[in-house]
Amino acid sequence: MSGVRKIQKEDILDAALDIIREEGMNNVQARNIAKKLNCSTQPIFYQFKNMEELKEELLKKIVEVYRQYLTVDEKAPHLYRQMGEGYIRFAKQEPKLFELIFMSPNKLTTKNFITHDKKVYNDILKYVSATTGISSEERVRNFHLKMWTFTHGIATMIATKTCEISDKQISEMLTEEFNALIL
């Protein structure tokens, strides 16, 4: 019996994340997760009270994956552009996760949508202010809203495979839009 590996919470979340990446959130069901783990559904409901709790934990894991794409090199120039490029790279490399977070119906206002992740939002405000010289929080927020709307459009086109845009083109487009908004 010592050869039997106990299925951990993280194993279940990783399997569910793989299912989303391959098939989308609608297929995150106990039976599908169990099949992926080659086990019964019992370990799933041992680790989680119900599927709702599992999905809440899974969303936290997805947000952590997303945050990794936004990590910037604090010593490098163009911190704000790096975040935009990371956002678009997330859409390109993790289209199903991008769709789940940013293209699913929610009841957030535009302002709440871009500010709901306080850690990321505070970093953004810091980078916008440092890069543009804008000190008013309201002006920084308005600048970011416009820039984010532009960036989100590119990311959405890439995630949905509406068009292909090279990394060089993305960098140029973000730089040009940034400069236009400063003017």
Side-chain angles (χ1 to χ4, degrees):
M1 196 75 181
S2 64
V4 176
R5 186 178 148 271
K6 184 179 177 198
I7 295 175
Q8 302 294 319
K9 194 176 248 192
E10 204 57 34
D11 299 323
I12 296 165
L13 292 172
D14 287 342
L17 190 59
D18 287 344
I19 290 169
I20 292 174
R21 286 175 167 142
E22 296 162 9
E23 306 170 39
M25 185 64 159
N26 290 338
N27 289 303
V28 175
Q29 301 165 0
R31 271 179 276 159
N32 293 344
I33 296 169
K35 182 178 178 185
K36 190 150 202 68
L37 291 170
N38 199 26
C39 67
S40 71
T41 60
Q42 186 177 5
I44 296 166
F45 293 110
Y46 176 77
Q47 296 290 344
F48 297 95
K49 285 185 273 188
N50 53 40
M51 286 302 291
E52 194 61 39
E53 181 185 47
L54 185 151
K55 288 180 180 181
E56 285 174 22
E57 289 296 315
L58 183 57
L59 190 54
K60 290 177 189 174
K61 187 172 183 77
I62 292 167
V63 168
E64 283 308 311
V65 170
Y66 162 65
R67 281 185 178 160
Q68 290 172 8
Y69 280 86
L70 297 184
T71 302
V72 297
D73 177 359
E74 295 277 347
K75 295 175 184 161
H78 313 295
L79 298 174
Y80 187 58
R81 187 181 72 210
Q82 282 183 51
M83 289 188 88
E85 289 170 347
Y87 182 83
I88 293 168
R89 194 170 33 262
F90 175 68
K92 185 182 226 174
Q93 295 174 358
E94 299 283 3
K96 299 273 190 199
L97 303 184
F98 179 83
E99 180 181 340
L100 182 65
I101 297 175
F102 298 108
M103 296 173 59
S104 297
N106 63 61
K107 295 184 181 351
L108 296 172
T109 65
T110 306
K111 179 185 174 205
N112 291 340
F113 188 76
I114 64 171
T115 64
H116 75 280
D117 187 333
K118 293 293 183 200
K119 183 200 176 317
V120 169
Y121 184 65
N122 288 334
D123 285 347
I124 288 169
L125 293 181
K126 180 175 74 174
Y127 299 147
V128 170
S129 184
T131 308
T132 63
I134 300 170
S135 57
S136 158
E137 186 176 337
E138 182 179 341
R139 287 190 56 218
V140 169
R141 190 173 41 246
N142 287 336
F143 182 96
H144 175 61
L145 175 61
K146 291 172 186 170
M147 193 68 204
W148 176 80
T149 302
F150 179 79
T151 305
H152 180 71
I154 295 170
T156 300
M157 288 188 294
I158 288 173
T160 58
K161 297 184 180 6
T162 302
C163 67
E164 287 187 33
I165 306 171
S166 73
D167 291 344
K168 182 178 184 232
Q169 288 173 308
I170 290 168
S171 184
E172 289 170 355
M173 291 168 71
L174 292 177
T175 299
E176 288 171 13
E177 183 65 15
F178 179 88
N179 290 335
L181 288 174
I182 287 178
L183 295 176

